[in-house]
Amino acid sequence: MKTPLSNALSKIIKHSSTSLKKEFIPLIKARGRISAQLIHAKYNIPSHDISLRDGFVLKSDMLKKLPMQTDKLPQVQTGSRIDGDFVYIIEKERVKSKLINQDLLAKLPRAKEFIKPKGEDIQKGQILINKGDTINSFDVANLASQGISEVLVYEKIKIAYIGVNDSIVDLDQDLQNGQIYNSNAYAIATRGKVLGASVSEILHVKSNSGALKEKLMGLKNCHAIVTIGSMGKGDCVDTLLEDKDFNVIFKGVALAPGGLSGFSFLGSIPILHLPGLPLSAFLGFEVLGSTMINTLYGKRFAKHNAIKTFSLERIKTQSSSQSVIPGFFDGSFFKPFKAKPGMMNVLNNCNGYIITPLSSGIKEGDRVDFYPFLAWND
């Protein structure tokens, strides 16, 4: 019986772990890396009250002395430091004469409207980055505001990708009759890079459980492995997972396409097993592989956040499994792309996917959760 998708994801999160080295890197290279430390703000930003306009300044004790001539008032420029008990910044263009009185004040925005208070952006002691957070470009701005030039991050996870099929050859070889290139492994490896992992190796092996085990046992410089292909009943990978050296967490997921996916361990190394049909492999990696990568990094949120939207069309669902439906979200609606599991030229016409619930179907206009093909490391 196939494992429900929610259970499969929970098992990946529960069992996946690895010991990653830590390194200090320059802040300019930190985008997309995973923080290995909790970072607090050392300073308030701004460090003092500042003016948001050019104009005249009124202190609270001046209010009783109105009307006043403008040449008796201090002036500030946008970005100037504000010290003392200032109440109003009066924009120069609002002053039609050289006299400021109560009638003019009544027409002004509320008190301190144009004064940016100390610590409004960042307060001293505030958490800027949690351990396990992905550092994005805007985090870099906050860290730079604190004078932080280096950050402690985890090393990049290294993943080996292995295509399993008797007909697979590498890209530098000429195709013979019936042969295919190892395109699935290359596509998934590049997607893994977008999700924050580096590529240890891209290999291929014939559909022979002994040869595949030997290849897997020989991998040394990786934190995880992804196999693609030979997951059918009695096929190479399916047979190999009966071997006592493999700790099988699940084999088969109630997911379409991608149902012939599995997850196991060889020693301490997690292995994600994907089916060989291109669309099944690609979408299986999006749903399962991304969760594995995020969990290995110790990220606080291992699952992808969704965008709430509406389906533009009716979508059939299955009662026994959830479906991954690729398509295009235009900012208002999700339009599914008509595709079959064996197709390859599909996802470059899409910008994300939805996962259907176990229900009688999705009607036109129903709310759906859209998962974009974004670079998760930014």
Side-chain angles (χ1 to χ4, degrees):
M1 186 175 180
K2 291 185 176 180
T3 303
L5 176 59
S6 60
N7 290 1
L9 294 174
S10 295
K11 288 182 178 183
I12 291 175
I13 293 170
K14 177 182 178 181
H15 292 280
S16 297
S17 65
T18 190
S19 179
L20 296 175
K21 297 177 182 177
K22 302 173 184 178
E23 58 181 342
F24 279 100
I25 62 171
L27 181 63
I28 193 63
K29 296 182 178 181
R31 189 201 66 80
R33 298 298 295 271
I34 309 300
S35 175
Q37 64 181 143
L38 177 68
I39 302 178
H40 291 88
K42 298 183 291 183
Y43 309 107
N44 289 311
I45 302 295
S47 59
H48 47 263
D49 293 353
I50 62 174
S51 172
L52 297 177
R53 295 289 191 276
D54 295 342
F56 303 100
V57 179
L58 275 178
K59 289 186 177 181
S60 57
D61 60 356
M62 296 177 178
L63 297 176
K64 299 177 182 179
K65 300 177 183 180
L66 296 179
M68 293 184 68
Q69 296 291 324
T70 55
D71 59 1
K72 302 293 185 182
L73 297 175
Q75 296 186 40
V76 292
Q77 295 180 319
T78 301
S80 297
R81 177 171 180 155
I82 300 288
D83 290 313
D85 186 20
F86 290 103
V87 178
Y88 285 99
I89 294 177
I90 305 171
E91 298 167 287
K92 289 184 177 181
E93 56 266 28
R94 287 181 177 269
V95 182
K96 304 302 181 183
S97 67
K98 294 185 178 181
L99 187 69
I100 293 178
N101 54 31
Q102 291 290 352
D103 290 339
L104 177 60
L105 287 188
K107 299 176 183 178
L108 295 177
R110 61 183 174 84
K112 298 190 176 183
E113 176 73 16
F114 300 131
I115 298 176
K116 186 178 181 68
K118 171 183 176 179
E120 182 181 60
D121 294 332
I122 298 174
Q123 293 188 352
K124 182 178 180 180
Q126 175 183 334
I127 294 176
L128 298 180
I129 294 286
N130 279 287
K131 184 178 180 180
D133 280 353
T134 300
I135 300 171
N136 64 38
S137 303
F138 309 109
D139 293 324
V140 170
N142 289 342
L143 296 173
S145 77
Q146 302 296 305
I148 296 172
S149 61
E150 289 187 326
V151 289
L152 185 67
V153 298
Y154 291 112
E155 66 174 317
K156 283 199 169 188
I157 290 170
K158 304 179 190 70
I159 301 180
Y161 300 85
I162 304 178
V164 186
N165 190 293
D166 287 337
S167 302
I168 285 182
V169 297
D170 210 347
L171 305 188
D172 58 357
Q173 299 180 35
D174 292 330
L175 288 180
Q176 304 298 320
N177 186 37
Q179 291 182 329
I180 56 174
Y181 286 119
N182 195 16
S183 56
N184 284 355
Y186 276 85
I188 292 171
T190 54
R191 186 59 184 159
K193 290 183 69 175
V194 172
L195 301 182
S198 62
V199 179
S200 170
E201 295 183 73
I202 299 178
L203 308 167
H204 63 88
V205 66
K206 291 186 179 298
S207 293
N208 178 283
S209 57
L212 176 57
K213 182 177 180 180
E214 182 180 351
K215 185 77 73 175
L216 293 171
M217 297 285 285
L219 293 172
K220 301 298 182 186
N221 188 33
C222 63
H223 299 103
I225 302 168
V226 176
T227 68
I228 307 109
S230 266
M231 278 295 290
K233 184 68 174 177
D235 285 347
C236 167
V237 178
D238 181 64
T239 302
L240 183 62
L241 293 180
E242 302 298 326
D243 190 303
K244 59 180 177 60
D245 288 331
F246 291 84
N247 177 20
V248 179
I249 306 303
F250 62 81
K251 185 168 64 172
V253 183
L255 185 68
L260 293 177
S261 297
F263 191 65
S264 72
F265 279 82
L266 179 60
S268 61
I269 303 297
I271 308 175
L272 176 63
H273 306 284
L274 298 173
L277 294 177
L279 190 59
S280 298
F282 299 159
L283 291 175
F285 185 75
E286 286 296 322
V287 177
L288 304 172
S290 57
T291 301
M292 178 183 73
I293 291 172
N294 285 338
T295 304
L296 288 174
Y297 273 129
K299 296 190 68 169
R300 293 183 299 143
F301 307 106
K303 298 178 183 178
H304 198 352
N305 290 326
I307 297 171
K308 302 290 185 182
T309 185
F310 302 91
S311 178
L312 195 60
E313 298 179 8
R314 178 177 177 273
I315 300 173
K316 293 182 179 180
T317 60
Q318 301 181 31
S319 59
S320 59
S321 66
Q322 295 177 259
S323 296
V324 188
I325 309 293
F328 195 89
F329 173 57
D330 64 3
S332 299
F333 296 96
F334 171 77
K335 181 179 176 59
F337 187 90
K338 301 297 188 296
K340 297 178 181 179
M343 297 176 68
M344 181 172 67
N345 189 25
V346 172
L347 299 187
N348 51 337
N349 297 300
C350 307
N351 62 356
Y353 61 92
I354 66 169
I355 300 177
T356 66
L358 294 171
S359 67
S360 56
I362 294 174
K363 299 187 296 293
E364 179 182 345
D366 279 358
R367 289 187 71 91
V368 292
D369 289 340
F370 174 76
Y371 299 88
F373 292 142
L374 296 177
W376 289 14
N377 57 6
D378 195 5

